[in-house]
Amino acid sequence: MKILALFVLRVTDAEPEAVILCEAYRLNDFSYFQRGSIKEFAVFWSKTLAKRVPLGQRSSIEHQEYLCHVHVRSNGLGTVAICDKEYPSRVVYTLLAKVQDDFVGTFPESAWQKSGSAGAGGTPIAFPALEEMIEKYQNPAEADSIMRIQKDLDETKIVLHKTIDSVLERGVKLDNLVEKSNDLSVQSKMFYKTAKSQNSCCGVM
């Protein structure tokens, strides 16, 4: 059970895509040469999905052997965790709620509503707690203390999507989004095409 990536994002109608405010990764199980492309795809998935799930809904989207867990508050503050399928969903959403609570407790809305993107040459928000949390909660048992606080999550419905395509707008294809994405390098796009043609479950997230 592992968390590969954790993001805090801004999602607004005024912006064409979600903006990553801060990010943390744990990619130790991948080779050095894979990590760049995996990181780019983690950014791509998080921005693509955060922009498309309903506000307030906890949505988990399957992609190969991973799950992208997404929650965006009504004020546009979103969090995304990319985990393997073995990591308990209830624990993930408890963690995402804690990330959101700690983030808004640290930064006023006026600060994060104007911040640049962490991955597009802007000025990301320095939020060291995100690195601490992705490290600490690699072990789901560490969530026991916050699970007691977030008891309401037990009664909150989590919407599971079996494919990323089911989240996209009608007529929109994942392959086209990959091709047009500015978050993905030429190498990563080739990596995606190769993995897809080989039906690889581990080539690309």
Side-chain angles (χ1 to χ4, degrees):
M1 291 184 284
K2 57 189 176 184
I3 306 173
L4 277 67
L6 196 56
F7 298 92
V8 180
L9 310 94
R10 179 177 68 239
V11 185
T12 66
D13 291 336
E15 294 172 301
E17 60 181 20
V19 175
I20 292 177
L21 301 174
C22 49
E23 56 197 345
Y25 303 91
R26 284 298 174 272
L27 304 176
N28 303 342
D29 291 341
F30 298 93
S31 74
Y32 174 81
F33 299 102
Q34 287 180 303
R35 291 176 192 174
S37 289
I38 290 172
K39 189 176 290 188
E40 288 181 8
F41 269 100
V43 168
F44 171 75
W45 299 136
S46 65
K47 291 171 65 174
T48 298
L49 297 173
K51 186 68 176 176
R52 289 167 170 83
V53 301
L55 295 181
Q57 178 177 288
R58 291 176 172 85
S59 302
S60 296
I61 302 95
E62 287 189 24
H63 183 65
Q64 299 173 358
E65 71 262 46
Y66 300 101
L67 278 169
C68 301
H69 304 278
V70 187
H71 181 244
V72 182
R73 290 183 173 182
S74 58
N75 64 355
L77 182 66
T79 45
V80 174
I82 300 177
C83 313
D84 59 21
K85 289 184 179 179
E86 286 71 40
Y87 200 98
S89 294
R90 295 289 179 186
V91 178
V92 174
Y93 284 105
T94 300
L95 172 58
L96 293 184
K98 177 172 175 54
V99 170
Q100 291 173 333
D101 289 343
D102 288 3
F103 189 85
V104 298
T106 305
F107 304 103
E109 188 167 329
S110 59
W112 59 264
Q113 284 285 9
K114 297 178 181 178
S115 174
S117 173
T123 304
I125 291 179
F127 187 45
L130 198 66
E131 287 284 350
E132 296 170 6
M133 282 188 272
I134 196 174
E135 182 68 33
K136 180 177 181 179
Y137 294 102
Q138 289 298 326
N139 178 4
E142 291 291 343
D144 283 349
S145 59
I146 58 173
M147 286 287 277
R148 297 191 194 101
I149 299 171
Q150 300 286 345
K151 291 179 180 177
D152 59 309
L153 281 178
D154 292 335
E155 301 173 2
T156 302
K157 182 179 180 181
I158 297 172
V159 178
L160 177 63
H161 298 273
K162 300 298 287 185
T163 66
I164 288 179
D165 285 327
S166 67
V167 181
L168 302 179
E169 302 90 338
R170 181 175 295 180
V172 175
K173 299 296 184 183
L174 179 59
D175 289 356
N176 293 339
L177 292 178
V178 168
E179 190 61 36
K180 294 177 182 178
S181 174
N182 293 323
D183 294 311
L184 300 173
S185 64
V186 173
Q187 179 182 355
S188 291
K189 292 176 182 179
M190 290 297 295
F191 194 30
Y192 170 82
K193 291 177 181 178
T194 302
K196 184 178 180 182
S197 66
Q198 297 174 349
N199 196 26
S200 171
C201 67
C202 53
V204 181
M205 287 180 42

